[in-house]
Amino acid sequence: MSDNRSRTPKDQAFLEFMKTGWSDVNAQVSPNSKANQDAKRKREELMEAFPNHLIFIEAGKAPTRSNDTHYKFRPSTEFTQLTNWGSSTVEESVLVLDSNKQSATLYLRPTADKDSDEFFANTEIGEFWVGPRPDLVQVEKLLGIATKQLSELNEVSGKKLDLSDEKLKQFLSEQRIIKSEWEVSEIKQAVEATKEGFENLIAKIPKASKRGERALEAAFFQKARLLGNDLGYETIAASGNHANILHWTKNDGDIKSGELVLVDAGIELDSLFTADITRTLPISGKFSEVQKEIYDVVLEAADAAFEVCRPGNRFRDMHNEAMKVIANHCERWGILPVTAEEALRPENQQHRRWMVHGTGHHLGLDVHDCAQARKEMYLDTELKPGMVFTIEPGLYFHENDELAPEEFRGIGVRIEDNVAITETGYDWLSSSIPRTSLEVEVWMQSIWDRD
Ligand code: GLY
Ligand code: MN
Ligand code: MN
């Protein structure tokens, strides 16, 4: 806090008084052994891949929002990946792996002793201001990693590697491509929470008009905080033509009966695994014929991607299959300047005017997980059990798109589901969230009838 408004007493007598009369608070520690084992295996693999190094993995610090206030802290994905420490991570903690000694040490700042004035007078890290932190022993028990005081970190010396190193980032990104059973179950749980978020949002639709996108965003967020740690990413609540703006997160528009609202939202759990779901909802509760026409094509494209979702096929096959459906319907609608077959050639791609994004991406601790993986490990790779990704085709007809049929203009549709590859096919993690146009109508009505 700036000195110009600080009234904290500084008298010695006051400091002495503040030291006395505090009992210890014993926090319960419940380690998750499966998750801890996953993290241990990842640390070992990493040390094997980078011998003779001291590898520093920082949890990071919350960025400034304004002046002396900050955004909510979220540890770096790589830190959580290697420690299994999620939403309760102490800011500025650092994991140090010594690949010579095959040792892992977690450096953190425990709560200050009561005989320092930090605990009541330091607004950034003091217990009075930001809450107590666990002690070293508690964290060691929780994560199964040796711990030390953060202040001892500068005593560590050796050949240092950190997350500014591209090769290290790439390794850690690729290490996340195959999820463990526990990780898949976390994502599944994040999807279930996200379903509740959508239901809370749907309940608000009849009561939202002016600034309705904000009301819907808020309704989803309520469940994100109740059932999880936070949003996995900024919610897109895009009504009418806003649906055509792919990253519409301003959410400051009205919602109007007769239009659609595209909602792309995901809840992140305390483990920091997230879901990533899109449903496009008719604000009146019923799709118009034209809306349904577009919706059903997107659904068909998604189904075509699902069809090739099994080990042995390639990641890119899902996109290619979805694009065949989109191109064929664009030809049927008479909006392609060439045939669908010609459009599908890599050098043409005219149908992509109406769907400029990809059909899916890996999903995990990051919503766009494994982003630093090499192309041959991502787009060009064969699908393998344990991969988790989204399938999310869409069609977007901007209100000023003169090449789109007039009645399509201002309509945008995306349907996004989450799947995990199994030995024989896939586990459809979001199967409980209504998806066809009819299912969506029945779902919305049932929520409105209940309220
Ligand atoms: N929510 C971002 C995406 O769907 O990729
Ligand atoms: Mn999404
Ligand atoms: Mn997505």
Side-chain angles (χ1 to χ4, degrees):
M1 190 190 289
S2 320
D3 272 353
N4 61 1
R5 62 190 165 94
S6 173
R7 297 184 199 91
T8 313
K10 292 192 174 65
D11 280 1
Q12 197 53 39
F14 178 75
L15 298 185
E16 288 302 320
F17 175 60
M18 285 302 278
K19 277 188 208 173
T20 59
W22 308 106
S23 63
D24 279 339
V25 180
N26 290 317
Q28 289 290 334
V29 174
S30 341
N32 178 339
S33 60
K34 269 195 193 153
N36 285 350
Q37 266 168 16
D38 278 348
K40 183 165 186 277
R41 172 183 50 81
K42 287 179 187 147
R43 292 194 295 275
E44 288 167 357
E45 286 172 2
L46 175 59
M47 287 191 273
E48 207 168 298
F50 293 87
N52 305 315
H53 277 94
L54 280 169
I55 307 166
F56 280 58
I57 307 287
E58 296 182 20
K61 200 170 158 33
T64 302
R65 185 171 189 278
S66 81
N67 185 28
D68 57 356
T69 63
H70 298 95
Y71 287 101
K72 207 177 287 157
F73 171 63
R74 181 196 191 271
S76 72
T77 287
E78 293 83 0
F79 177 87
T80 297
Q81 164 181 358
L82 295 166
T83 58
N84 175 41
W85 210 5
S87 62
S88 64
T89 299
V90 172
E91 235 171 309
E92 296 185 272
S93 297
V94 182
L95 173 71
V96 178
L97 301 176
D98 183 334
S99 52
N100 266 332
K101 295 191 197 137
Q102 286 286 308
S103 70
T105 313
L106 186 51
Y107 291 81
L108 65 131
R109 184 187 288 120
T111 305
D113 286 340
K114 303 288 186 288
D115 62 1
S116 83
D117 66 2
E118 175 193 307
F119 94 104
F120 72 92
N122 187 322
T123 60
E124 296 266 333
I125 56 171
E127 182 176 344
F128 262 42
W129 297 86
V130 295
R133 292 180 291 276
D135 65 31
L136 298 181
V137 177
Q138 283 171 329
V139 176
E140 198 159 323
K141 270 195 204 146
L142 180 71
L143 306 173
I145 308 175
T147 52
K148 282 193 177 172
Q149 293 267 6
L150 186 62
S151 55
E152 291 179 58
L153 185 62
N154 49 24
E155 290 163 24
V156 182
S157 63
K159 196 171 161 205
K160 198 169 146 182
L161 196 65
D162 63 27
L163 290 172
S164 61
D165 184 275
E166 302 271 312
K167 284 272 168 227
L168 179 63
K169 286 278 274 190
Q170 180 191 302
F171 179 90
L172 290 170
S173 230
E174 291 178 356
Q175 194 181 43
R176 297 200 302 272
I177 288 177
I178 306 290
K179 270 71 180 174
S180 70
E181 232 173 81
W182 175 77
E183 290 171 327
V184 174
S185 72
E186 281 296 291
I187 300 170
K188 173 111 184 142
Q189 199 182 316
V191 170
E192 287 307 317
T194 297
K195 179 186 181 192
E196 287 199 41
F198 270 84
E199 292 185 341
N200 208 43
L201 177 154
I202 289 170
K204 285 284 174 307
I205 290 179
K207 297 162 212 149
S209 54
K210 272 255 161 265
R211 287 154 67 97
E213 289 177 350
R214 290 187 194 224
L216 303 192
E217 175 193 323
F220 187 84
F221 184 63
Q222 186 183 23
K223 288 288 175 179
R225 287 296 286 163
L226 274 175
L227 303 175
N229 174 52
D230 205 338
L231 301 168
Y233 53 93
E234 287 300 311
T235 296
I236 297 171
S239 160
N241 189 54
H242 289 160
N244 297 317
I245 302 165
L246 296 173
H247 289 168
W248 177 258
T249 52
K250 280 194 188 133
N251 303 342
D252 59 359
D254 303 337
I255 67 169
K256 297 186 200 83
S257 187
E259 292 188 336
L260 300 176
V261 60
L262 182 157
V263 180
D264 184 342
I267 292 181
E268 172 189 272
L269 300 185
D270 289 352
S271 60
L272 306 189
F273 282 93
T274 188
D276 180 10
I277 299 290
T278 305
R279 290 293 182 262
T280 306
L281 309 164
I283 290 161
S284 67
K286 292 262 181 250
F287 289 91
S288 70
E289 282 307 310
V290 174
Q291 289 163 349
K292 200 166 155 332
E293 167 80 19
I294 299 166
Y295 193 95
D296 286 348
V297 169
V298 175
L299 190 73
E300 191 183 325
D303 287 347
F306 270 94
E307 273 295 307
V308 291
C309 220
R310 62 179 168 276
N313 285 340
R314 286 181 195 279
F315 197 91
R316 60 164 69 255
D317 294 339
M318 295 183 291
H319 179 69
N320 293 344
E321 291 306 308
M323 287 311 97
K324 281 184 203 162
V325 173
I326 298 283
N328 283 331
H329 284 282
C330 287
E331 181 185 66
R332 174 173 68 81
W333 288 325
I335 57 178
L336 281 181
V338 294
T339 64
E341 197 185 334
E342 285 164 335
L344 286 163
R345 289 190 197 133
E347 66 278 18
N348 293 335
Q349 302 286 305
Q350 288 88 345
H351 55 287
R352 297 293 301 275
R353 176 186 175 102
W354 297 287
M355 182 188 154
V356 297
H357 61 77
T359 303
H361 54 81
H362 281 278
L363 176 70
L365 288 171
D366 280 345
V367 60
H368 295 155
D369 209 28
C370 316
Q372 282 82 29
R374 284 163 293 171
K375 197 173 179 189
E376 59 267 32
M377 297 289 287
Y378 202 134
L379 209 52
D380 293 337
T381 197
E382 279 189 10
L383 300 179
K384 295 191 188 71
M387 287 182 173
V388 176
F389 45 79
T390 67
I391 293 180
E392 51 174 310
L395 272 170
Y396 309 91
F397 298 100
H398 287 258
E399 63 188 359
N400 62 341
D401 185 346
E402 292 179 351
L403 301 189
E406 211 166 330
E407 68 276 21
F408 285 14
R409 294 180 202 166
I411 298 177
V413 173
R414 177 163 65 257
I415 305 170
E416 179 172 24
D417 281 275
N418 301 159
V419 297
I421 296 291
T422 62
E423 295 293 336
T424 53
Y426 62 86
D427 183 4
W428 178 10
L429 302 179
S430 48
S431 60
S432 73
I433 308 180
R435 181 166 168 272
T436 67
S437 53
L438 182 61
E439 283 166 3
V440 167
E441 288 177 353
V442 171
W443 185 36
M444 293 177 74
Q445 195 56 52
S446 70
I447 292 167
W448 293 343
D449 287 347
R450 190 187 65 194
D451 282 3

mmCIF file of all heavy atoms in Angstrom, residues 282 285-287 292 295-296 299 434-445:
data_model
loop_
_atom_site.group_PDB
_atom_site.id
_atom_site.type_symbol
_atom_site.label_atom_id
_atom_site.label_comp_id
_atom_site.label_asym_id
_atom_site.label_seq_id
_atom_site.Cartn_x
_atom_site.Cartn_y
_atom_site.Cartn_z
ATOM 1 N N PRO A 282 -31.216 -21.101 -29.486
ATOM 2 C CA PRO A 282 -32.211 -20.139 -29.981
ATOM 3 C C PRO A 282 -32.794 -19.355 -28.792
ATOM 4 O O PRO A 282 -33.270 -19.964 -27.834
ATOM 5 C CB PRO A 282 -33.269 -21.037 -30.627
ATOM 6 C CG PRO A 282 -33.146 -22.353 -29.919
ATOM 7 C CD PRO A 282 -31.739 -22.480 -29.421
ATOM 8 N N GLY A 285 -36.139 -20.202 -27.778
ATOM 9 C CA GLY A 285 -36.354 -21.603 -27.412
ATOM 10 C C GLY A 285 -36.611 -22.482 -28.622
ATOM 11 O O GLY A 285 -36.614 -23.703 -28.519
ATOM 12 N N LYS A 286 -36.842 -21.856 -29.784
ATOM 13 C CA LYS A 286 -37.108 -22.633 -31.020
ATOM 14 C C LYS A 286 -36.244 -22.099 -32.157
ATOM 15 O O LYS A 286 -36.186 -20.876 -32.363
ATOM 16 C CB LYS A 286 -38.575 -22.491 -31.449
ATOM 17 C CG LYS A 286 -39.554 -23.152 -30.506
ATOM 18 C CD LYS A 286 -39.952 -24.536 -31.031
ATOM 19 C CE LYS A 286 -40.957 -25.206 -30.115
ATOM 20 N NZ LYS A 286 -40.418 -26.339 -29.377
ATOM 21 N N PHE A 287 -35.617 -22.998 -32.892
ATOM 22 C CA PHE A 287 -34.841 -22.595 -34.076
ATOM 23 C C PHE A 287 -35.805 -22.257 -35.210
ATOM 24 O O PHE A 287 -36.817 -22.949 -35.395
ATOM 25 C CB PHE A 287 -33.952 -23.754 -34.555
ATOM 26 C CG PHE A 287 -32.778 -24.064 -33.660
ATOM 27 C CD1 PHE A 287 -32.890 -25.006 -32.629
ATOM 28 C CD2 PHE A 287 -31.555 -23.435 -33.848
ATOM 29 C CE1 PHE A 287 -31.813 -25.308 -31.809
ATOM 30 C CE2 PHE A 287 -30.462 -23.733 -33.025
ATOM 31 C CZ PHE A 287 -30.591 -24.664 -32.006
ATOM 32 N N LYS A 292 -32.076 -23.640 -38.430
ATOM 33 C CA LYS A 292 -31.954 -25.091 -38.338
ATOM 34 C C LYS A 292 -31.185 -25.653 -39.536
ATOM 35 O O LYS A 292 -30.391 -26.584 -39.403
ATOM 36 C CB LYS A 292 -33.362 -25.705 -38.262
ATOM 37 C CG LYS A 292 -33.401 -27.086 -37.707
ATOM 38 C CD LYS A 292 -34.828 -27.447 -37.358
ATOM 39 C CE LYS A 292 -35.103 -28.924 -37.358
ATOM 40 N NZ LYS A 292 -34.339 -29.799 -38.184
ATOM 41 N N TYR A 295 -27.640 -25.012 -38.734
ATOM 42 C CA TYR A 295 -27.277 -25.808 -37.551
ATOM 43 C C TYR A 295 -27.050 -27.275 -37.932
ATOM 44 O O TYR A 295 -26.066 -27.900 -37.523
ATOM 45 C CB TYR A 295 -28.390 -25.706 -36.494
ATOM 46 C CG TYR A 295 -27.989 -26.229 -35.136
ATOM 47 C CD1 TYR A 295 -27.506 -25.361 -34.153
ATOM 48 C CD2 TYR A 295 -28.076 -27.579 -34.836
ATOM 49 C CE1 TYR A 295 -27.120 -25.836 -32.904
ATOM 50 C CE2 TYR A 295 -27.692 -28.064 -33.589
ATOM 51 C CZ TYR A 295 -27.221 -27.190 -32.630
ATOM 52 O OH TYR A 295 -26.832 -27.655 -31.395
ATOM 53 N N ASP A 296 -27.948 -27.798 -38.743
ATOM 54 C CA ASP A 296 -27.865 -29.221 -39.081
ATOM 55 C C ASP A 296 -26.642 -29.540 -39.936
ATOM 56 O O ASP A 296 -26.114 -30.652 -39.870
ATOM 57 C CB ASP A 296 -29.158 -29.679 -39.775
ATOM 58 C CG ASP A 296 -30.309 -29.791 -38.774
ATOM 59 O OD1 ASP A 296 -30.042 -29.741 -37.550
ATOM 60 O OD2 ASP A 296 -31.471 -29.924 -39.210
ATOM 61 N N LEU A 299 -23.786 -29.694 -37.493
ATOM 62 C CA LEU A 299 -23.893 -30.959 -36.756
ATOM 63 C C LEU A 299 -23.390 -32.134 -37.612
ATOM 64 O O LEU A 299 -22.667 -33.009 -37.124
ATOM 65 C CB LEU A 299 -25.355 -31.183 -36.360
ATOM 66 C CG LEU A 299 -25.614 -32.318 -35.396
ATOM 67 C CD1 LEU A 299 -25.136 -31.945 -33.994
ATOM 68 C CD2 LEU A 299 -27.110 -32.648 -35.352
ATOM 69 N N PRO A 434 -27.061 -31.753 -24.284
ATOM 70 C CA PRO A 434 -27.889 -31.839 -25.494
ATOM 71 C C PRO A 434 -27.240 -31.121 -26.672
ATOM 72 O O PRO A 434 -26.602 -30.075 -26.504
ATOM 73 C CB PRO A 434 -29.191 -31.174 -25.061
ATOM 74 C CG PRO A 434 -29.253 -31.456 -23.591
ATOM 75 C CD PRO A 434 -27.832 -31.352 -23.119
ATOM 76 N N ARG A 435 -27.444 -31.697 -27.872
ATOM 77 C CA ARG A 435 -26.621 -31.254 -28.999
ATOM 78 C C ARG A 435 -27.393 -31.059 -30.296
ATOM 79 O O ARG A 435 -27.143 -30.106 -31.019
ATOM 80 C CB ARG A 435 -25.531 -32.316 -29.154
ATOM 81 C CG ARG A 435 -24.532 -32.085 -30.241
ATOM 82 C CD ARG A 435 -23.382 -33.034 -30.004
ATOM 83 N NE ARG A 435 -22.495 -33.103 -31.137
ATOM 84 C CZ ARG A 435 -22.669 -33.938 -32.151
ATOM 85 N NH1 ARG A 435 -23.685 -34.763 -32.172
ATOM 86 N NH2 ARG A 435 -21.806 -33.922 -33.150
ATOM 87 N N THR A 436 -28.324 -31.968 -30.632
ATOM 88 C CA THR A 436 -29.071 -31.759 -31.877
ATOM 89 C C THR A 436 -30.034 -30.588 -31.663
ATOM 90 O O THR A 436 -30.340 -30.226 -30.514
ATOM 91 C CB THR A 436 -29.890 -32.998 -32.274
ATOM 92 O OG1 THR A 436 -30.929 -33.168 -31.302
ATOM 93 C CG2 THR A 436 -29.038 -34.254 -32.341
ATOM 94 N N SER A 437 -30.552 -30.031 -32.771
ATOM 95 C CA SER A 437 -31.437 -28.872 -32.602
ATOM 96 C C SER A 437 -32.652 -29.238 -31.755
ATOM 97 O O SER A 437 -33.072 -28.461 -30.885
ATOM 98 C CB SER A 437 -31.832 -28.286 -33.959
ATOM 99 O OG SER A 437 -32.364 -29.290 -34.776
ATOM 100 N N LEU A 438 -33.205 -30.431 -31.979
ATOM 101 C CA LEU A 438 -34.380 -30.826 -31.205
ATOM 102 C C LEU A 438 -34.019 -31.011 -29.726
ATOM 103 O O LEU A 438 -34.727 -30.526 -28.831
ATOM 104 C CB LEU A 438 -34.988 -32.114 -31.789
ATOM 105 C CG LEU A 438 -36.247 -32.604 -31.092
ATOM 106 C CD1 LEU A 438 -37.374 -31.564 -31.190
ATOM 107 C CD2 LEU A 438 -36.721 -33.940 -31.672
ATOM 108 N N GLU A 439 -32.900 -31.703 -29.489
ATOM 109 C CA GLU A 439 -32.468 -31.913 -28.086
ATOM 110 C C GLU A 439 -32.266 -30.574 -27.373
ATOM 111 O O GLU A 439 -32.628 -30.422 -26.203
ATOM 112 C CB GLU A 439 -31.134 -32.674 -28.047
ATOM 113 C CG GLU A 439 -31.219 -34.153 -28.309
ATOM 114 C CD GLU A 439 -29.852 -34.794 -28.590
ATOM 115 O OE1 GLU A 439 -28.805 -34.102 -28.527
ATOM 116 O OE2 GLU A 439 -29.848 -35.990 -28.889
ATOM 117 N N VAL A 440 -31.690 -29.622 -28.089
ATOM 118 C CA VAL A 440 -31.435 -28.308 -27.479
ATOM 119 C C VAL A 440 -32.758 -27.619 -27.135
ATOM 120 O O VAL A 440 -32.917 -27.066 -26.038
ATOM 121 C CB VAL A 440 -30.552 -27.433 -28.422
ATOM 122 C CG1 VAL A 440 -30.544 -25.978 -27.977
ATOM 123 C CG2 VAL A 440 -29.127 -27.980 -28.465
ATOM 124 N N GLU A 441 -33.735 -27.711 -28.044
ATOM 125 C CA GLU A 441 -35.041 -27.078 -27.779
ATOM 126 C C GLU A 441 -35.720 -27.706 -26.550
ATOM 127 O O GLU A 441 -36.249 -27.001 -25.686
ATOM 128 C CB GLU A 441 -35.952 -27.223 -29.010
ATOM 129 C CG GLU A 441 -35.531 -26.328 -30.166
ATOM 130 C CD GLU A 441 -36.378 -26.522 -31.429
ATOM 131 O OE1 GLU A 441 -37.228 -27.447 -31.462
ATOM 132 O OE2 GLU A 441 -36.175 -25.744 -32.386
ATOM 133 N N VAL A 442 -35.662 -29.035 -26.491
ATOM 134 C CA VAL A 442 -36.309 -29.743 -25.363
ATOM 135 C C VAL A 442 -35.597 -29.395 -24.054
ATOM 136 O O VAL A 442 -36.222 -29.157 -23.014
ATOM 137 C CB VAL A 442 -36.295 -31.280 -25.625
ATOM 138 C CG1 VAL A 442 -36.740 -32.052 -24.392
ATOM 139 C CG2 VAL A 442 -37.162 -31.625 -26.833
ATOM 140 N N TRP A 443 -34.281 -29.322 -24.129
ATOM 141 C CA TRP A 443 -33.444 -29.004 -22.951
ATOM 142 C C TRP A 443 -33.814 -27.623 -22.418
ATOM 143 O O TRP A 443 -34.075 -27.454 -21.223
ATOM 144 C CB TRP A 443 -31.990 -29.040 -23.417
ATOM 145 C CG TRP A 443 -30.913 -28.867 -22.390
ATOM 146 C CD1 TRP A 443 -30.891 -29.308 -21.107
ATOM 147 C CD2 TRP A 443 -29.640 -28.229 -22.627
ATOM 148 N NE1 TRP A 443 -29.685 -28.981 -20.519
ATOM 149 C CE2 TRP A 443 -28.903 -28.333 -21.421
ATOM 150 C CE3 TRP A 443 -29.038 -27.612 -23.712
ATOM 151 C CZ2 TRP A 443 -27.599 -27.811 -21.290
ATOM 152 C CZ3 TRP A 443 -27.749 -27.110 -23.591
ATOM 153 C CH2 TRP A 443 -27.051 -27.201 -22.389
ATOM 154 N N MET A 444 -33.852 -26.651 -23.328
ATOM 155 C CA MET A 444 -34.129 -25.271 -22.901
ATOM 156 C C MET A 444 -35.515 -25.182 -22.269
ATOM 157 O O MET A 444 -35.704 -24.583 -21.206
ATOM 158 C CB MET A 444 -34.008 -24.316 -24.091
ATOM 159 C CG MET A 444 -32.585 -24.209 -24.608
ATOM 160 S SD MET A 444 -32.427 -23.155 -26.057
ATOM 161 C CE MET A 444 -32.619 -21.536 -25.332
ATOM 162 N N GLN A 445 -36.491 -25.816 -22.943
ATOM 163 C CA GLN A 445 -37.867 -25.750 -22.425
ATOM 164 C C GLN A 445 -37.949 -26.401 -21.050
ATOM 165 O O GLN A 445 -38.625 -25.884 -20.144
ATOM 166 C CB GLN A 445 -38.821 -26.431 -23.420
ATOM 167 C CG GLN A 445 -40.288 -26.108 -23.186
ATOM 168 C CD GLN A 445 -40.581 -24.605 -23.197
ATOM 169 O OE1 GLN A 445 -40.211 -23.916 -24.141
ATOM 170 N NE2 GLN A 445 -41.205 -24.095 -22.142
#
